[in-house]
Amino acid sequence: MTMALLEVQDLTKEFVVERSLLGAQRATLRAVHNVSFKMAPGETLGIVGESGCGKTTLGRLILRLLDPTGGSIRFDGQDITHLSLRQMRGLRQDIQVVFQDPYSSLNPRLTVRAIIGEPLSNFGFSTAEITRRVGEVMEVVGLQPDTMDRNPHAFSGGQRQRIGIARALALRPKLIVCDEAVSALDVSIQAQILNLLADIQQEFGLTLLFISHNLGVIRHVSHRIAVMYLGEIVELATERDLFENPLHPYTRALISAVPEADIHERTERVPLDGEIPSPVNPPPGCPFHTRCPIARPRCGSDLPDYREWSPRRMVRCHFPGEALPTFAETATERALP
Ligand code: SF4
């Protein structure tokens, strides 16, 4: 079996937050809780969930921009859980990131040559080699190398995100974390950037961790998908299994909300009422029970195990795959006296 490039085991991140203005009361916010998964080299894993589910914190933990509270991260056979910033610098060659906002993530005062070339310069590449590599990656992402001495404001939003991708590619990394990489772009541009990422992933055998709140976007690029809710992975499956046979009620609600005709023909519309509970005060039992349309008394007290449904398929629910009430049924119930 191929060795995992990235292996995350029981990863947890808690933050201490002030509950009163004067800081007299403190509480623990559980952003990521006992998250485990492996990624094979060349795989794209999508992480999806609503805002506040912990997916961005998870990405930042893997990038080691945050220190975990518990659990471990292994990258390419090395335990990187507690590496210092200085020790991580060496690994920056192998792990790169593409951020959400192509407007604010690029320094407007620098030229594109300096922006894409900065990681190369940090690793001691010569000026001539930097120019050569910058031109090369600009071509890979569909930009004209003869525009490398312009500033980012001379480029459109989609082109700026291509600059961000070129910068991430410059050091020829093994893993790229894409955090909401297309969320700030128009829908038509999103598709171009997603196609570009898929092409690059294939051409270079890159491993991509793709984080988004948008399941339609995640589906476009991912081999496997992990669904997060309140800091935990509640279902992990191949893209095909997840869409053809979603097991967790939350996954089914998310899929039913994807605005794609081909999905709605096959899937019931599942209502998803209520707010996400506070991660400062998560509910006991199953974290989804306050919103789950099929919750039973047991769900409010017993946390379901994260169990293997089939090889490479995990789900955390006491009643996986059970039929859910549709919008039509729920509306009828509400109309009854
Ligand atoms: Fe719903 Fe219960 Fe499954 Fe949680 S364990 S998702 S509340 S059915």
Side-chain angles (χ1 to χ4, degrees):
M1 192 184 148
T2 323
M3 195 178 79
L5 180 70
L6 179 72
E7 186 169 355
V8 168
Q9 189 67 44
D10 297 327
L11 198 61
T12 295
K13 179 64 185 175
E14 293 173 350
F15 296 98
V16 175
V17 292
E18 312 289 349
R19 275 191 135 167
S20 69
L21 279 179
L22 298 174
Q25 281 186 329
R26 297 191 160 189
T28 302
L29 183 152
R30 206 175 69 179
V32 171
H33 188 236
N34 283 349
V35 164
S36 302
F37 62 84
K38 292 180 186 176
M39 288 181 75
E43 180 181 36
T44 300
L45 176 69
I47 307 274
V48 70
E50 291 163 287
S51 168
C53 73
K55 56 191 188 304
T56 289
T57 303
L58 177 60
R60 294 174 74 82
L61 287 170
I62 289 163
L63 288 162
R64 295 291 289 99
L65 299 173
L66 288 172
D67 287 326
T69 311
S72 64
I73 309 165
R74 288 185 78 79
F75 177 76
D76 214 8
Q78 183 186 359
D79 188 340
I80 65 165
T81 320
H82 300 295
L83 292 191
S84 65
L85 267 182
R86 201 173 59 80
Q87 289 168 317
M88 271 307 290
R89 240 171 252 148
L91 271 181
R92 287 282 167 249
Q93 190 154 6
D94 289 332
I95 308 178
Q96 285 286 315
V97 61
V98 176
F99 288 111
Q100 170 176 5
D101 190 348
Y103 296 92
S104 64
S105 61
L106 306 179
N107 187 334
R109 286 189 294 274
L110 296 181
T111 62
V112 169
R113 179 203 299 264
I115 290 168
I116 299 175
E118 190 188 11
L120 296 164
S121 151
N122 292 342
F123 274 85
F125 285 77
S126 69
T127 309
E129 179 66 0
I130 290 175
T131 302
R132 192 183 69 72
R133 283 233 201 167
V134 169
E136 218 174 76
V137 286
M138 285 183 79
E139 270 183 30
V140 168
V141 301
L143 293 170
Q144 299 287 343
D146 60 8
T147 58
M148 71 170 74
D149 288 318
R150 297 186 188 164
N151 297 100
H153 63 74
F155 294 83
S156 67
Q159 286 173 325
R160 287 186 210 195
Q161 199 54 308
R162 287 173 193 264
I163 296 169
I165 295 167
R167 180 185 156 95
L169 280 177
L171 284 166
R172 298 179 187 153
K174 293 176 180 167
L175 171 70
I176 298 184
V177 176
C178 300
D179 186 5
E180 298 281 8
V182 297
S183 304
L185 304 173
D186 289 345
V187 174
S188 59
I189 309 293
Q190 279 186 6
Q192 292 173 19
I193 299 295
L194 291 173
N195 289 338
L196 171 68
L197 283 167
D199 290 347
I200 289 172
Q201 189 272 330
Q202 277 209 335
E203 190 177 336
F204 296 94
L206 269 174
T207 309
L208 290 184
L209 185 70
F210 199 93
I211 296 167
S212 176
H213 67 282
N214 185 330
L215 191 52
V217 161
I218 286 273
R219 183 187 199 197
H220 202 90
V221 288
S222 304
H223 299 119
R224 286 189 304 149
I225 298 174
V227 180
M228 279 190 81
Y229 186 78
L230 218 56
E232 298 185 6
I233 291 180
V234 295
E235 184 162 3
L236 175 60
T238 62
E239 178 272 329
R240 190 171 172 173
D241 282 347
L242 196 88
F243 276 84
E244 286 190 355
N245 181 25
L247 297 174
H248 196 283
Y250 181 58
T251 310
R252 296 170 78 165
L254 286 185
I255 289 177
S256 81
V258 175
E260 285 181 24
D262 64 322
I263 292 173
H264 288 157
E265 278 163 22
R266 288 185 275 111
T267 317
E268 76 275 76
R269 288 275 286 141
V270 177
L272 184 57
D273 292 333
E275 298 288 317
I276 307 178
S278 165
V280 173
N281 190 19
C286 170
F288 188 54
H289 85 262
T290 55
R291 301 170 80 194
C292 180
I294 57 164
R296 314 220 179 119
R298 178 185 173 197
C299 304
S301 55
D302 299 350
L303 176 66
D305 288 332
Y306 192 47
R307 64 171 152 138
E308 192 169 337
W309 181 262
S310 60
R312 289 165 59 83
R313 178 144 214 205
M314 310 290 285
V315 62
R316 188 187 270 276
C317 173
H318 292 305
F319 310 102
E322 263 202 25
L324 304 185
T326 62
F327 261 120
E329 287 163 356
T330 312
T332 311
E333 258 174 46
R334 282 174 183 156
L336 288 174

